[in-house]
Amino acid sequence: MNHNSLKENLDLNQAAHEMHDLLCTLYPICRSITGNGLRETLNLINNRLPLQIHEIPTGTRVFDWTVPREWNIRDAYIKDSQGKRVIDFCSSNLHVVGYSMPVHRKMSLSELQKHLYTLPHRPDWIPYRTTYYQEDWGFCLSHNQLMELKDDEYEVVIDSSLENGHLTYGECLVQGSIDQEFLISCHVCHPSLCNDNLSGTVLATFLGNILSRRSPYYSYRILFIPGTIGSITWLALNREKIASIRHGLVLACLGDPGPFTYKKSRQGNAEIDQCMMYMLNTQNTDHEIMDFSPYGYDERQYCSPGFNLPVGCLMRTPYGRYPEYHTSKDNPDLVTAEYLGDSLEKILLVLDLIEANRKYLNTNPECEPHLGKRGLYKYIGGQNEGLVDQIALLWVLNQSDGMHSLLDIADKSCLDFWLIRDAAHLLEKHGLLIPCA
Amino acid sequence: MNHNSLKENLDLNQAAHEMHDLLCTLYPICRSITGNGLRETLNLINNRLPLQIHEIPTGTRVFDWTVPREWNIRDAYIKDSQGKRVIDFCSSNLHVVGYSMPVHRKMSLSELQKHLYTLPHRPDWIPYRTTYYQEDWGFCLSHNQLMELKDDEYEVVIDSSLENGHLTYGECLVQGSIDQEFLISCHVCHPSLCNDNLSGTVLATFLGNILSRRSPYYSYRILFIPGTIGSITWLALNREKIASIRHGLVLACLGDPGPFTYKKSRQGNAEIDQCMMYMLNTQNTDHEIMDFSPYGYDERQYCSPGFNLPVGCLMRTPYGRYPEYHTSKDNPDLVTAEYLGDSLEKILLVLDLIEANRKYLNTNPECEPHLGKRGLYKYIGGQNEGLVDQIALLWVLNQSDGMHSLLDIADKSCLDFWLIRDAAHLLEKHGLLIPCA
Amino acid sequence: MNHNSLKENLDLNQAAHEMHDLLCTLYPICRSITGNGLRETLNLINNRLPLQIHEIPTGTRVFDWTVPREWNIRDAYIKDSQGKRVIDFCSSNLHVVGYSMPVHRKMSLSELQKHLYTLPHRPDWIPYRTTYYQEDWGFCLSHNQLMELKDDEYEVVIDSSLENGHLTYGECLVQGSIDQEFLISCHVCHPSLCNDNLSGTVLATFLGNILSRRSPYYSYRILFIPGTIGSITWLALNREKIASIRHGLVLACLGDPGPFTYKKSRQGNAEIDQCMMYMLNTQNTDHEIMDFSPYGYDERQYCSPGFNLPVGCLMRTPYGRYPEYHTSKDNPDLVTAEYLGDSLEKILLVLDLIEANRKYLNTNPECEPHLGKRGLYKYIGGQNEGLVDQIALLWVLNQSDGMHSLLDIADKSCLDFWLIRDAAHLLEKHGLLIPCA
């Protein structure tokens, strides 16, 4: 059986290591929802996957939102009275609260402390904080660093700018046989954080690269966007494209060693939901299926009630459930080539399924067609050889009334999807099935 | 959180005792489906809750039925040959079979015995019997009393009348913000029987009283009617009001110490059914949910197939399942202030729920609205404080497509109804939701 | 309760033995999908049940199929060089592969072996093989017989003919009160094989005989057809009759001692499916319910997507699941009068059910009708005698909104179907119900 697998001729192990290499390259860049870190990231992705880079001006209205000012940062530190940098942006870009306003002041420890964020129960780790929609500034540091700060006068510098500019995002369309689209979306707005979500970013990059070297059935639109404001911006500025989205996946947290977690679309029984569950079940891989909830990544926007798109979210360990989440420990050690490779493989398996899953019409719906005269029936009756294949043909013929997909037929017959798919292809070749539009 | 609770400013303990007092006042009256006992009962209720008293003439056609003649009784007894009253209506009105024709005859014990009803397995208890729709007469007595009757000639007197008159019922409408109605129905036709159904009668009285001192959303129509013929009469003579009934409850057997039993409406998933189950589940009170059956109280008529109204029946121990049912032991000792008060509280909780349960439309259904600019989002992102409230806002926005009630959203999100309700109010205040009609 | 049982005045034990006698009479005949063995079989059935015998010419187009040439066989054998018949058609008609072309040749053992079929794991048994749709020839023999064949020159004779002729089938219509039909279908194309399917053949014969002596509600159409090509031919040539088929059963493998197996129609919840499951459950007989699959007997054609008729298949041990299936051991010892009788009884019970299962409309849907004035209510209320019957009346009235069958009401009320049916008849007699069309 040839499943036209997307994995064909792909060295998964090599891809896994290249994904991890790209992740390490992207890791040090200070990204945010706008700014040069995001641009630099998209340019590096562009080397692997040609992107259309969009620049949306500050102030553009996108539904209920407005594209914010562009934030850029050059340096930031806290110096003690001896002039020693006790907190230094250069050592970790998590030290600065994202979207912090520029500051250059001297202040006492007690005044400074109102702007400091730590994780007391993880005293070595630096938390990740942002202040996108409220003008403020702050520093994140390990609790141990905080404990070492003496009563002193500190020079506090954040050399940032918050000015009219642009929101930047990247987009790649892999044209398929039909114009209906499979949307792949990942957020690229986090600074030095790996599982959330450089893992999704590198996976989307490699998926795009692989798909662009195949001839897929669906067209694949791959979005590299800042979280929330990015998907809102794309949806607002691309309303004419929304009706073409037939399936979608948000990719995040896909490089840790945890089992897969699939969060269903708001529809709850969309084809992507069915295919993902079939793949996870048949791969015998430990996994969890979550119902949709309006808390999470950009599926919140795609699945808002006015769109209700069939977009699920694939993760390994979900947001908030691993201790390293949104801390300096979500680093290249947490994410391994092995698990990035495993995630890539499973996503390719799901895409294989959804590419192959069709509905057909039996051209001869009244009684069975005569399989024997077409050489589709073993000629000495009563024997059991080839029986499974025979039964697959009968199942496909019986259920192909335009209402059952091949996956529905596989479920109903308890036969393997690919056996059912091959039966359908054989019947189509003999003119006994025609695909539904 | 202010749940606008109907319990607010209510001394439940005092109400419980006042209900029991009213029950004791009503207990000795000899009620039937027509007659002066019923009138006297309604007049006493009227002191607590102003009622419209309706008098429907004998012979009025009500669907397949006819309003029967009015039955009144002054005295009844069985005297032995020494002139001693061995059975005396004055000592218990259960002694006379309800609707017995007038009798004044002497007869032997053997002839008399054809008209005597006892409970051999409960030799001290007097049963309750009626003969509404067949002209007959009879006495109910304890089995011990029967055993003591000697072979003698007895003077049998029932000083009753069965004449053209009226069927009497009481009605109270508490006008709410909208004309759609919540129907509360109880039967008031039983003589000295407490759980079935003076308990329902006093609860309906106090509920009406409490509601009339609030400003409820729904209009509440409270019916004090004789069983079966009363609901049939009301439905037949008030056809124009039936379409306004949005929810309903029949109240009976609510003063015994048993756990709650809720019998669902014929619809099976009406809003009253959902609210009652939510209340009973969240109150962690032992309870049983029964599917609808066409045997029981006046829900039989409200849920007949031509109406199929969303009317359930709330009881503690249901009809026929407690030994005292329809006997002289269903007296003021079986019913306690404590359990009347508990029943009142739980019904108020259900009314609170149903009053607050609405459907809304998200005014901004495409993507999430920008909560931050309205002060509805914690401004330093990435922290978990206030997360539950945040998630409640997101759930309400995501599900408010006009098809999901707040209770549906609470169920789906596994969040508390009142948290969801408060989130909806907050969003409505900010113009992000509008209530569905 | 009179259930108008089809079993009434029937000596089931006698019928059981007569069925087995008929089976033994039919057993030796060499049947195939066409030819004189099939004609002879239908003529013998005709003695019990008057049949319309149809002869459809070779070459007739029936949907995607063509009526094949007629096959007849007079003799067949394999003689060794001493002239001894080592394999002889006269000793078992299974020895010849069905539809074998005529052969008269001498050949070596090694050449002959390509045309020999055995069951190595059942060395005493002769398998059953056919070659309907591919011109070929062959012999089936026990593996022990094969082992005894020496290296020799053999004379191989199959004195058969494969010529233009007819496909023969039998049909009987028992006219009922209405023209809507219950289809009973059995295949009669197997040679000396008893469970599959002389058991179905004799059951269909006796069912037809019994029904023709009653006055059934439905019209019963009983088909005695060759498998696959027979049902395809009937459907193709009787398109105008298909719309009248309201229920149907394929009968096969009904004489072995195994528990019942019911394979549901493709619809999955047709009335025949409901009735069969109710009967099997209430008879407390061990049984299995199988979902529809497109592999099996003629239900494959009746349930093809262009027809999707409500036709199930009743068996005891299904095709392929008993070791004797399609071998010389499926003989009159495997099938007993006892189990044929048991199968007959259970099918009659199902027909009783489906004949009685109707939908009604309550003529008085607004409130309950006054049962008392029609003598349908015990007149001293409050007693429990006759309560079940009373409740049955109330259930039927409450649910008779034209959407619930009596079987639906029995399921919902957990009352016996026949109690519900009797309640419906009583209510109909009093003008309180009218049957739906």
Side-chain angles (χ1 to χ4, degrees):
Chain A
M1 279 181 263
N2 167 18
H3 304 160
N4 285 327
S5 169
L6 292 165
K7 277 164 50 182
E8 219 169 89
N9 303 321
L10 180 69
D11 184 333
L12 256 178
N13 186 46
Q14 187 189 330
H17 283 93
E18 288 177 13
M19 284 191 287
H20 198 264
D21 290 348
L22 177 58
L23 179 140
C24 292
T25 305
L26 299 175
Y27 178 64
I29 300 168
C30 182
R31 278 165 294 274
S32 187
I33 54 173
T34 60
N36 291 325
L38 184 49
R39 279 190 196 92
E40 189 184 343
T41 299
L42 295 174
N43 285 335
L44 286 164
I45 293 169
N46 191 55
N47 294 340
R48 281 265 171 196
L49 180 69
L51 293 184
Q52 210 181 337
I53 310 281
H54 300 268
E55 296 278 357
I56 312 300
T58 296
T60 305
R61 292 286 312 211
V62 287
F63 297 121
D64 191 48
W65 301 62
T66 305
V67 171
R69 285 178 294 172
E70 183 175 327
W71 184 67
N72 283 293
I73 183 163
R74 284 155 296 277
D75 195 7
Y77 54 82
I78 300 173
K79 267 190 189 156
D80 63 16
S81 53
Q82 274 77 47
K84 186 186 159 204
R85 288 190 173 204
V86 292
I87 302 297
D88 190 349
F89 174 72
C90 300
S91 70
S92 168
N93 56 42
L94 297 184
H95 276 316
V96 174
V97 169
Y99 258 64
S100 280
M101 301 164 59
V103 180
H104 192 158
R105 285 171 48 201
K106 296 205 174 180
M107 60 185 75
S108 66
L109 178 57
S110 67
E111 194 185 352
L112 176 58
Q113 272 178 324
K114 297 175 207 151
H115 295 272
L116 300 184
Y117 302 93
T118 69
L119 295 170
H121 59 297
R122 300 282 187 186
D124 287 334
W125 301 6
I126 308 166
Y128 164 55
R129 294 284 183 274
T130 63
T131 181
Y132 299 142
Y133 300 110
Q134 180 83 14
E135 291 197 3
D136 200 349
W137 62 269
F139 283 85
C140 298
L141 57 163
S142 74
H143 203 65
N144 287 339
Q145 284 177 313
L146 178 64
M147 292 296 97
E148 282 167 18
L149 291 186
K150 298 188 176 60
D151 208 3
D152 198 355
E153 193 182 53
Y154 291 97
E155 183 189 1
V156 179
V157 170
I158 298 182
D159 179 12
S160 67
S161 58
L162 195 55
E163 293 166 350
N164 284 346
H166 295 83
L167 176 148
T168 314
Y169 71 86
E171 182 169 18
C172 168
L173 180 70
V174 179
Q175 180 64 43
S177 307
I178 63 169
D179 288 336
Q180 292 198 47
E181 296 188 5
F182 191 118
L183 178 74
I184 295 174
S185 178
C186 63
H187 61 280
V188 288
C189 52
H190 283 20
S192 292
L193 294 168
C194 283
N195 204 31
D196 178 17
N197 184 33
L198 287 175
S199 68
T201 304
V202 301
L203 273 160
T205 305
F206 276 67
L207 280 169
N209 181 297
I210 293 165
L211 288 161
S212 66
R213 289 182 281 126
R214 301 286 191 273
S215 304
Y217 178 65
Y218 291 108
S219 295
Y220 286 78
R221 184 175 302 276
I222 307 166
L223 297 182
F224 299 85
I225 51 178
T228 306
I229 187 66
S231 50
I232 292 170
T233 298
W234 188 86
L235 286 162
L237 303 182
N238 293 278
R239 300 191 64 135
E240 77 289 357
K241 292 177 186 151
I242 295 173
S244 299
I245 298 174
R246 177 100 167 256
H247 319 285
L249 268 184
V250 168
L251 303 180
C253 301
L254 281 160
D256 68 284
F260 285 98
T261 303
Y262 178 64
K263 175 177 160 183
K264 291 202 262 185
S265 74
R266 184 179 184 271
Q267 297 181 20
N269 198 27
E271 198 173 337
I272 181 65
D273 301 324
Q274 293 173 27
C275 287
M276 190 63 81
M277 289 190 282
Y278 184 89
M279 183 280 287
L280 291 169
N281 284 327
T282 51
Q283 288 295 310
N284 281 319
T285 180
D286 191 21
H287 64 274
E288 184 188 348
I289 304 295
M290 288 169 66
D291 280 333
F292 176 78
S293 72
Y295 187 74
Y297 294 113
D298 287 307
E299 70 278 7
R300 289 159 64 163
Q301 312 310 327
Y302 303 127
C303 298
S304 58
F307 300 123
N308 199 22
L309 293 174
V311 176
C313 176
L314 186 66
M315 300 165 278
R316 299 189 76 102
T317 307
Y319 43 84
R321 293 211 203 153
Y322 52 101
E324 301 89 346
Y325 175 74
H326 278 195
T327 76
S328 55
K329 279 286 170 180
D330 183 359
N331 63 27
D333 294 335
L334 176 67
V335 169
T336 65
E338 178 187 355
Y339 290 105
L340 287 172
D342 183 48
S343 296
L344 178 63
E345 183 189 19
K346 297 306 187 288
I347 298 169
L348 291 174
L349 289 176
V350 162
L351 298 187
D352 278 340
L353 262 182
I354 214 160
E355 289 262 313
N357 191 32
R358 305 284 167 76
K359 289 178 182 170
Y360 290 90
L361 272 175
N362 181 335
T363 58
N364 195 81
E366 296 177 314
C367 298
E368 292 171 1
H370 191 165
L371 296 179
K373 72 184 184 190
R374 296 174 174 89
L376 300 174
Y377 201 78
K378 294 286 178 297
Y379 78 91
I380 297 281
Q383 293 167 305
N384 279 337
E385 297 158 30
L387 197 58
V388 171
D389 295 13
Q390 209 72 60
I391 289 177
L393 293 174
L394 296 177
W395 269 109
V396 173
L397 286 167
N398 186 273
Q399 297 291 309
S400 288
D401 50 10
M403 293 187 294
H404 300 93
S405 73
L406 296 182
L407 189 56
D408 294 332
I409 302 173
D411 278 342
K412 207 160 195 166
S413 65
C414 299
L415 295 174
D416 177 71
F417 174 83
W418 296 105
L419 177 64
I420 290 293
R421 203 284 304 261
D422 289 349
H425 278 199
L426 191 59
L427 292 167
E428 189 182 5
K429 209 177 81 184
H430 282 85
L432 293 170
L433 286 188
I434 48 171
C436 292
Chain B
M1 280 179 264
N2 168 17
H3 304 159
N4 283 327
S5 169
L6 292 165
K7 276 166 46 184
E8 219 169 88
N9 302 321
L10 180 68
D11 184 333
L12 255 178
N13 187 46
Q14 186 189 331
H17 283 92
E18 287 176 13
M19 284 191 285
H20 198 265
D21 291 347
L22 177 58
L23 179 140
C24 292
T25 304
L26 298 174
Y27 178 63
I29 301 170
C30 182
R31 278 165 293 275
S32 187
I33 55 173
T34 60
N36 291 325
L38 185 49
R39 279 190 195 91
E40 190 184 342
T41 299
L42 295 174
N43 284 334
L44 286 165
I45 293 169
N46 192 53
N47 294 340
R48 281 264 171 199
L49 180 68
L51 293 184
Q52 209 180 339
I53 310 282
H54 300 268
E55 296 278 357
I56 312 301
T58 297
T60 304
R61 293 285 314 210
V62 287
F63 297 121
D64 191 47
W65 300 62
T66 305
V67 171
R69 284 177 293 171
E70 182 175 328
W71 184 68
N72 283 294
I73 183 164
R74 285 157 294 278
D75 194 7
Y77 55 83
I78 299 171
K79 266 190 192 157
D80 64 17
S81 53
Q82 273 79 47
K84 186 185 160 203
R85 288 190 173 205
V86 292
I87 302 297
D88 189 349
F89 173 72
C90 300
S91 70
S92 168
N93 57 40
L94 297 184
H95 275 317
V96 174
V97 168
Y99 258 64
S100 281
M101 301 163 59
V103 180
H104 192 157
R105 284 170 52 201
K106 298 205 172 178
M107 62 186 73
S108 66
L109 178 58
S110 68
E111 195 187 350
L112 175 57
Q113 273 179 324
K114 296 175 208 150
H115 294 273
L116 301 184
Y117 302 93
T118 70
L119 295 170
H121 59 295
R122 300 282 188 187
D124 287 333
W125 300 8
I126 308 166
Y128 164 57
R129 293 286 182 274
T130 63
T131 182
Y132 298 141
Y133 300 110
Q134 181 84 14
E135 292 196 3
D136 200 348
W137 62 268
F139 282 85
C140 297
L141 59 164
S142 75
H143 203 66
N144 287 339
Q145 285 175 312
L146 177 65
M147 292 297 96
E148 281 166 19
L149 292 186
K150 296 189 178 62
D151 208 2
D152 197 354
E153 193 184 52
Y154 290 97
E155 183 190 359
V156 178
V157 170
I158 299 182
D159 180 11
S160 67
S161 59
L162 197 54
E163 293 165 350
N164 284 346
H166 294 84
L167 176 148
T168 313
Y169 71 86
E171 184 169 17
C172 169
L173 181 69
V174 179
Q175 180 64 44
S177 308
I178 62 169
D179 289 336
Q180 291 198 47
E181 296 186 6
F182 192 119
L183 179 73
I184 294 174
S185 178
C186 64
H187 62 280
V188 288
C189 53
H190 282 21
S192 293
L193 295 168
C194 284
N195 203 30
D196 179 16
N197 186 31
L198 288 175
S199 69
T201 304
V202 301
L203 274 159
T205 305
F206 276 67
L207 280 168
N209 182 297
I210 293 164
L211 287 161
S212 66
R213 287 182 282 127
R214 301 284 192 276
S215 305
Y217 178 64
Y218 291 108
S219 295
Y220 286 78
R221 185 176 299 276
I222 306 166
L223 297 182
F224 299 86
I225 51 177
T228 306
I229 187 66
S231 50
I232 292 170
T233 297
W234 188 86
L235 287 162
L237 303 182
N238 293 279
R239 301 191 63 136
E240 77 288 357
K241 293 179 186 150
I242 295 173
S244 299
I245 298 174
R246 177 99 167 257
H247 319 286
L249 267 185
V250 169
L251 303 181
C253 302
L254 282 161
D256 69 284
F260 285 99
T261 303
Y262 178 66
K263 176 176 159 184
K264 292 202 258 185
S265 74
R266 183 178 184 270
Q267 296 180 19
N269 198 26
E271 199 173 337
I272 182 64
D273 301 325
Q274 293 173 27
C275 287
M276 190 63 81
M277 290 188 284
Y278 184 88
M279 183 280 288
L280 291 169
N281 283 328
T282 51
Q283 288 296 311
N284 280 319
T285 180
D286 191 21
H287 64 274
E288 184 188 344
I289 303 295
M290 287 168 67
D291 279 334
F292 177 77
S293 72
Y295 187 73
Y297 295 113
D298 287 307
E299 69 279 6
R300 287 159 66 164
Q301 312 310 328
Y302 302 125
C303 297
S304 57
F307 299 122
N308 199 22
L309 293 174
V311 176
C313 177
L314 186 67
M315 299 165 280
R316 299 186 79 101
T317 308
Y319 43 85
R321 292 209 202 156
Y322 52 100
E324 301 88 348
Y325 175 73
H326 278 196
T327 76
S328 54
K329 279 285 169 181
D330 183 359
N331 62 28
D333 293 335
L334 176 67
V335 169
T336 64
E338 178 187 356
Y339 291 105
L340 287 172
D342 183 49
S343 296
L344 178 64
E345 184 189 18
K346 298 304 187 290
I347 298 168
L348 291 173
L349 289 175
V350 162
L351 298 187
D352 278 339
L353 262 182
I354 214 160
E355 288 262 314
N357 190 33
R358 304 285 166 76
K359 289 179 181 168
Y360 290 90
L361 272 176
N362 181 335
T363 57
N364 195 81
E366 295 177 316
C367 297
E368 293 171 2
H370 191 167
L371 296 178
K373 72 184 183 191
R374 295 173 175 90
L376 300 175
Y377 201 80
K378 295 283 176 300
Y379 76 91
I380 297 283
Q383 292 167 304
N384 279 338
E385 296 158 30
L387 199 56
V388 170
D389 295 13
Q390 208 73 62
I391 289 178
L393 293 174
L394 295 177
W395 269 109
V396 173
L397 286 167
N398 186 273
Q399 297 291 308
S400 288
D401 51 10
M403 293 188 293
H404 299 93
S405 73
L406 297 183
L407 189 56
D408 294 334
I409 302 173
D411 277 343
K412 207 160 195 164
S413 65
C414 300
L415 295 174
D416 178 70
F417 174 84
W418 296 106
L419 178 64
I420 290 292
R421 203 280 308 258
D422 290 347
H425 279 199
L426 190 60
L427 292 166
E428 190 182 4
K429 209 177 82 184
H430 284 85
L432 293 170
L433 287 189
I434 48 171
C436 293
Chain C
M1 280 180 263
N2 168 18
H3 304 159
N4 283 327
S5 169
L6 291 165
K7 276 165 49 183
E8 218 170 274
N9 302 320
L10 180 69
D11 184 332
L12 256 178
N13 186 46
Q14 186 190 330
H17 283 93
E18 287 177 13
M19 284 192 286
H20 198 265
D21 291 347
L22 177 58
L23 179 140
C24 291
T25 305
L26 299 174
Y27 178 63
I29 301 169
C30 181
R31 278 165 293 275
S32 187
I33 56 172
T34 60
N36 291 323
L38 184 49
R39 278 190 197 92
E40 189 183 343
T41 299
L42 295 175
N43 284 334
L44 286 164
I45 293 169
N46 191 53
N47 295 338
R48 281 264 170 199
L49 180 68
L51 294 183
Q52 210 180 338
I53 310 281
H54 300 268
E55 296 278 357
I56 312 301
T58 296
T60 304
R61 292 286 313 212
V62 287
F63 297 121
D64 191 47
W65 300 62
T66 305
V67 171
R69 284 177 295 170
E70 182 174 328
W71 185 67
N72 283 293
I73 182 163
R74 285 157 294 275
D75 194 8
Y77 54 82
I78 299 172
K79 267 191 191 154
D80 64 17
S81 55
Q82 274 78 44
K84 187 187 158 202
R85 289 189 172 205
V86 292
I87 301 297
D88 190 348
F89 173 71
C90 300
S91 70
S92 169
N93 58 40
L94 296 184
H95 275 317
V96 174
V97 169
Y99 258 66
S100 279
M101 301 164 60
V103 180
H104 192 159
R105 284 170 51 199
K106 298 205 173 180
M107 60 186 74
S108 66
L109 177 60
S110 69
E111 194 187 349
L112 176 58
Q113 273 179 325
K114 296 175 208 150
H115 295 274
L116 300 184
Y117 302 93
T118 69
L119 295 170
H121 60 297
R122 300 283 187 185
D124 287 332
W125 300 7
I126 309 167
Y128 164 56
R129 293 284 184 276
T130 63
T131 181
Y132 298 142
Y133 301 109
Q134 180 85 14
E135 291 196 3
D136 199 350
W137 62 269
F139 283 85
C140 297
L141 59 164
S142 74
H143 203 66
N144 287 339
Q145 284 175 313
L146 178 64
M147 292 296 97
E148 281 166 20
L149 292 185
K150 299 188 175 62
D151 208 3
D152 198 355
E153 191 183 53
Y154 290 96
E155 182 190 359
V156 178
V157 169
I158 298 182
D159 179 11
S160 67
S161 60
L162 196 54
E163 292 166 350
N164 283 347
H166 294 84
L167 176 147
T168 314
Y169 72 86
E171 183 170 17
C172 168
L173 180 69
V174 179
Q175 180 64 43
S177 306
I178 62 169
D179 288 336
Q180 291 198 48
E181 297 187 6
F182 192 117
L183 179 73
I184 294 174
S185 178
C186 64
H187 61 281
V188 288
C189 53
H190 283 21
S192 293
L193 294 168
C194 283
N195 203 31
D196 179 16
N197 186 29
L198 287 175
S199 68
T201 304
V202 302
L203 274 160
T205 305
F206 276 67
L207 280 169
N209 182 297
I210 293 164
L211 287 162
S212 66
R213 289 181 281 126
R214 302 284 192 275
S215 303
Y217 178 66
Y218 291 109
S219 295
Y220 285 78
R221 186 176 298 278
I222 306 165
L223 297 182
F224 299 86
I225 52 177
T228 305
I229 187 66
S231 50
I232 291 170
T233 298
W234 188 87
L235 286 162
L237 303 182
N238 293 277
R239 301 191 63 136
E240 76 289 356
K241 293 179 186 151
I242 295 173
S244 299
I245 298 174
R246 178 100 167 257
H247 319 285
L249 268 184
V250 168
L251 302 180
C253 302
L254 282 160
D256 69 283
F260 285 99
T261 302
Y262 177 65
K263 176 176 158 182
K264 292 202 261 186
S265 75
R266 183 178 185 271
Q267 297 181 18
N269 198 27
E271 199 174 335
I272 182 65
D273 302 325
Q274 293 173 26
C275 288
M276 190 64 82
M277 290 189 283
Y278 184 87
M279 183 280 290
L280 291 169
N281 284 328
T282 52
Q283 288 295 310
N284 280 319
T285 180
D286 191 22
H287 64 272
E288 183 187 345
I289 303 295
M290 287 168 65
D291 279 333
F292 176 78
S293 72
Y295 187 72
Y297 294 113
D298 287 306
E299 68 278 6
R300 288 159 65 163
Q301 313 309 328
Y302 303 125
C303 298
S304 58
F307 299 122
N308 199 22
L309 293 173
V311 176
C313 176
L314 187 66
M315 298 165 280
R316 299 187 78 101
T317 308
Y319 43 84
R321 292 210 203 154
Y322 53 101
E324 301 88 348
Y325 175 75
H326 277 193
T327 76
S328 54
K329 279 287 170 182
D330 183 358
N331 62 30
D333 293 336
L334 176 67
V335 169
T336 65
E338 177 188 355
Y339 290 105
L340 287 172
D342 183 49
S343 296
L344 178 63
E345 184 189 16
K346 298 304 188 289
I347 298 169
L348 291 174
L349 289 175
V350 162
L351 299 187
D352 278 339
L353 262 182
I354 213 160
E355 288 263 313
N357 190 32
R358 304 284 166 74
K359 289 178 182 169
Y360 290 90
L361 272 175
N362 182 335
T363 58
N364 194 80
E366 295 177 317
C367 297
E368 293 171 2
H370 191 167
L371 296 178
K373 72 183 183 190
R374 295 173 176 90
L376 300 175
Y377 200 79
K378 294 285 178 296
Y379 76 92
I380 297 283
Q383 293 167 304
N384 278 338
E385 296 157 30
L387 198 57
V388 170
D389 296 13
Q390 209 73 61
I391 289 179
L393 293 175
L394 295 177
W395 269 108
V396 173
L397 286 167
N398 187 272
Q399 296 291 308
S400 288
D401 51 10
M403 292 187 293
H404 300 93
S405 73
L406 297 183
L407 189 56
D408 294 334
I409 302 173
D411 278 343
K412 209 160 194 166
S413 65
C414 300
L415 295 175
D416 178 71
F417 174 83
W418 296 105
L419 177 65
I420 290 292
R421 203 282 306 259
D422 290 347
H425 278 200
L426 191 60
L427 291 167
E428 190 181 5
K429 210 177 80 184
H430 282 86
L432 293 171
L433 287 189
I434 48 172
C436 293

